[in-house]
Amino acid sequence: MGEFELIRRYFFPIAEAGNTSAVLLGPGDDCAIQRVEPGRDLVFSVDTLVEGVHFPRDYDPEKLGWRSLAVAASDLAAMGADPVCFTLALTLPDADPDWLHAYAAGLASAAAQFGLSLAGGDTTRGPLTLSLQVHGTVPQGQALQRSGARAGDYVCVSGTLGEAGAALKFLGSQNPGPDEQSVLDRYHYPASRLSLGAALRGCASATVDISDGLVADLGHILEASGVAASIDIAKLPLSATLNRLVGEEAVNLAMNAGDDYELCITISPKAWEGLPEEIRSQLTIIGEVTSGEGLAITHEGQSLAPAAGGYDHFRT
Amino acid sequence: MGEFELIRRYFFPIAEAGNTSAVLLGPGDDCAIQRVEPGRDLVFSVDTLVEGVHFPRDYDPEKLGWRSLAVAASDLAAMGADPVCFTLALTLPDADPDWLHAYAAGLASAAAQFGLSLAGGDTTRGPLTLSLQVHGTVPQGQALQRSGARAGDYVCVSGTLGEAGAALKFLGSQNPGPDEQSVLDRYHYPASRLSLGAALRGCASATVDISDGLVADLGHILEASGVAASIDIAKLPLSATLNRLVGEEAVNLAMNAGDDYELCITISPKAWEGLPEEIRSQLTIIGEVTSGEGLAITHEGQSLAPAAGGYDHFRT
């Protein structure tokens, strides 16, 4: 079976995964066609993963399939967008049928989970590189952005932090125990907080997804909004698993490790009070937005002096 | 200056190149936002170029900037779409300021020429690879597709064919003559037939852009439409330049060489008669659609027997 037939067989079924009524023409022509409903806007983002840079060499292709779509979908979550479809630009050293089959299987699982149908793509020969562009929609004017944080807002994060970062220690582990397996799953199969993001439209003042670490990504909100913030490390949501696995290093990982793909949001106290309990239970208040610039770190209210050059003592 | 600053300085101005009123949020947040006017649909396509596969190693970055956007925009032309914006996923071995500056200059020229504004992207470290996704719009239901060719339609191509293919012989030429420079420019700076494609909406029955060669790309129309065709090599539009440079090889190049980025279309005789002379003058009738399957090649009406395995005697 030729490369084109392999791709048709393994990938074209993923065109049925998501909001298929919005994709008027899927893979196979010069372009795909998407209908954006009246009163909504298109929201889109592209993410590239390179072998040896963003994932290890000889990484399990099924996990890569999930992960490559999840990290892109996470940007839709950060905008509060409802998922629609995606394109896949796949550069491969060779057309290994086993690899393609496993990659497509992981991709199909994620596509079904996130509600994203494959709309088109390009397959080329070269060093293993994946660029996925995800498309969603939002009611006009309601996209969440990085620039809306205001002094007095709470700083919140979803889920728990640091586990994907801890997983990097165990990637080569032959016989991971239950705790190790738990954090490895966080790394291999990141969730995308799509339904949480959509629920925060009209409520959160600013959002970002945590791909590069809390300090770095919250920093993007502060810069875009022209504000400062203070967060208390005693309030960071750390799982019991993470504390058992890495002990005191948990705070460092939660602050600075990437790959968690949780959301960091800012929200006014009034909007917070108005959130349904079901949404609040997915979020933890870890600090507040202040005027000025920069990020202050406290521990149970006591200032921690940043090391010279920033918060390097928190860096992993 | 850091990598992020370089990108901000060189690339963000390209966000102003095209239909900026349709791009509500450009580069710098988790996603970009595009408004699709009521009554229109989004049309999009992604193309990847890999160093050493789709362009030579150490290829001039300014030319690469133009070329990378032109080949993607050509897919919009083939759908009859009006251009809006694009994303750039740029994987680079290092952040060489001279390279980035020259690449962005070529990209900016093409973006201004084609009316495509930069809406977002991703920059990563790795082997030089570029994935560009272009966005356009069409009035609902009016996108040109590959599947509409019917027996009795004319087969037409735009412009002249084979020159980009001939250019491959002269890529390393230190002192190209005027003819050589002319075909080199066709390779380095392909046009995208955007205005022609838009003018053919509601007129052409099927369209494709010629990226892989006339025989291969017309084959996509025939397969998608479930029809056959006959083309006459005596009718192929060959430039005097090409004839001077390569003599009898011109027909082979026009049939099988890629990189021309002209349009191949099918159109009913009645629709052809209705086309404005200004549009007809950009097209040459080279054959007709027939029932059945496959592509027959004639020379002034006489059948040419295809070689075993297809039209291999036409392959370059």
Side-chain angles (χ1 to χ4, degrees), chain A residues 49 54-72 102-103 105-107 109-110 114 162-174 176-192 258-261:
Chain A
L49 300 181
H54 303 92
F55 58 92
R57 292 195 186 278
D58 299 318
Y59 188 59
D60 179 344
E62 187 271 338
K63 296 183 174 75
L64 183 62
W66 178 288
R67 204 174 141 69
S68 60
L69 189 59
V71 304
Y103 177 78
L107 189 67
S109 298
F114 303 139
E163 287 168 74
L168 295 178
K169 301 175 192 293
F170 309 114
L171 279 181
S173 186
Q174 293 301 312
D179 281 350
E180 292 167 6
Q181 191 58 55
S182 170
V183 299
L184 282 167
D185 285 346
R186 279 293 301 268
Y187 177 84
H188 293 311
Y189 301 105
S192 294
D259 297 323
D260 281 320
Y261 297 100

Side-chain angles (χ1 to χ4, degrees), chain A:
Chain A
M1 197 184 305
E3 182 172 357
F4 185 71
E5 268 312 300
L6 286 171
I7 286 166
R8 184 181 288 268
R9 173 180 291 195
Y10 295 144
F11 289 89
F12 279 23
I14 308 175
E16 308 299 323
N19 184 348
T20 53
S21 69
V23 181
L24 306 187
L25 184 66
D29 212 303
D30 288 288
C31 290
I33 305 177
Q34 179 185 346
R35 179 154 298 173
V36 178
E37 289 168 52
R40 297 183 77 93
D41 282 328
L42 174 74
V43 171
F44 54 103
S45 174
V46 61
D47 272 284
T48 300
L49 300 181
V50 180
E51 184 179 47
V53 179
H54 303 92
F55 58 92
R57 292 195 186 278
D58 299 318
Y59 188 59
D60 179 344
E62 187 271 338
K63 296 183 174 75
L64 183 62
W66 178 288
R67 204 174 141 69
S68 60
L69 189 59
V71 304
S74 182
D75 287 313
L76 291 179
M79 302 294 284
D82 298 310
V84 177
C85 63
F86 70 102
T87 62
L88 168 64
L90 182 58
T91 300
L92 291 169
D94 51 58
D96 173 356
D98 292 338
W99 192 97
L100 281 171
H101 186 237
Y103 177 78
L107 189 67
S109 298
Q113 172 71 29
F114 303 139
L116 288 161
S117 49
L118 181 69
D122 192 15
T123 309
T124 52
R125 198 61 48 126
L128 184 56
T129 306
L130 309 102
S131 282
L132 286 88
Q133 179 161 324
V134 288
H135 290 198
T137 63
V138 287
Q140 292 185 355
Q142 291 189 31
L144 299 169
Q145 297 183 27
R146 296 178 176 180
S147 53
R150 297 292 172 262
D153 288 352
Y154 294 143
V155 177
C156 306
V157 294
S158 65
T160 56
L161 299 180
E163 287 168 74
L168 295 178
K169 301 175 192 293
F170 309 114
L171 279 181
S173 186
Q174 293 301 312
N175 263 312
D179 281 350
E180 292 167 6
Q181 191 58 55
S182 170
V183 299
L184 282 167
D185 285 346
R186 279 293 301 268
Y187 177 84
H188 293 311
Y189 301 105
S192 294
R193 294 287 189 174
L194 286 161
S195 58
L196 177 62
L200 291 169
R201 288 198 303 249
C203 306
S205 55
T207 51
V208 72
D209 71 316
I210 304 178
S211 54
D212 296 330
L214 173 63
V215 168
D217 290 311
L218 174 55
H220 294 316
I221 287 182
L222 304 185
E223 188 186 7
S225 301
V227 293
S230 160
I231 60 177
D232 192 320
I233 59 172
K235 295 182 176 169
L236 290 171
L238 308 176
S239 71
T241 304
L242 183 68
N243 281 320
R244 279 194 301 271
L245 276 178
V246 302
E248 291 188 350
E249 202 193 342
V251 168
N252 282 356
L253 290 169
M255 292 285 278
N256 293 299
D259 297 323
D260 281 320
Y261 297 100
E262 296 292 349
L263 295 183
C264 175
I265 73 162
T266 61
I267 185 169
S268 73
K270 187 176 171 197
W272 173 263
E273 293 304 325
L275 284 181
E277 175 54 30
E278 177 213 343
I279 302 301
R280 277 196 290 191
S281 69
Q282 299 177 53
L283 295 163
T284 303
I285 299 174
I286 60 167
E288 64 179 341
V289 179
T290 57
S291 56
E293 64 181 57
L295 178 62
I297 314 290
T298 65
H299 180 251
E300 295 181 347
Q302 301 297 306
S303 281
L304 297 182
Y311 301 96
D312 281 347
H313 62 308
F314 285 116
R315 292 255 161 82
T316 53

